[in-house]
Amino acid sequence: MGHFWQVYVAEAEGCLNPDKGSFSKMRWVSRADLQKLVGRTLLRVRGELTDEEWVSEPGITFSWVRWLAEADLITVTEPELREIEEFMLTDETNRP
């Protein structure tokens, strides 16, 4: 069946109370912060971050980059998207 993905853009405030077993490093971020996280994701894809560096301070989850780009929340080029998606399919740490 697969997944059905939806991205909503909203303004919100308050404290997050995520399920600790399902999410890591969940927090509110600005668009500028999202863009910095994309940069970190690209560093990971390009082998410029170790597994430990990625785990301690991750970027955006690989599968979310395209959705955020399509929602105009981040800027990423098509070659960068392909780079991320190709990495996502081969990276063993990206498996449950």
Side-chain angles (χ1 to χ4, degrees):
M1 174 176 248
H3 289 75
F4 182 74
W5 296 79
Q6 293 180 323
V7 176
Y8 297 92
V9 177
E11 291 187 26
E13 57 184 59
C15 297
L16 293 171
N17 189 18
D19 173 33
K20 303 290 187 221
S22 299
F23 301 98
S24 65
K25 307 281 184 179
M26 183 178 278
R27 64 224 180 256
W28 297 116
V29 296
S30 67
R31 286 180 187 228
D33 291 334
L34 277 176
Q35 195 63 49
K36 288 177 189 172
L37 291 168
V38 171
R40 189 145 182 93
T41 300
L42 285 166
L43 289 174
R44 172 68 175 145
V45 165
R46 294 172 179 157
E48 298 177 36
L49 295 176
T50 65
D51 290 348
E52 294 78 21
E53 290 170 322
W54 177 255
V55 168
S56 71
E57 191 178 333
I60 294 176
T61 302
F62 308 116
S63 56
W64 273 93
V65 174
R66 180 169 291 278
W67 296 111
L68 294 172
E70 289 183 12
D72 290 325
L73 296 171
I74 59 172
T75 301
V76 63
T77 66
E78 271 302 317
E80 289 170 333
L81 280 173
R82 281 194 304 275
E83 196 176 354
I84 290 168
E85 289 171 349
E86 287 172 14
F87 179 83
M88 179 178 69
L89 295 174
T90 60
D91 178 40
E92 290 299 319
T93 64
N94 193 41
R95 304 286 181 259

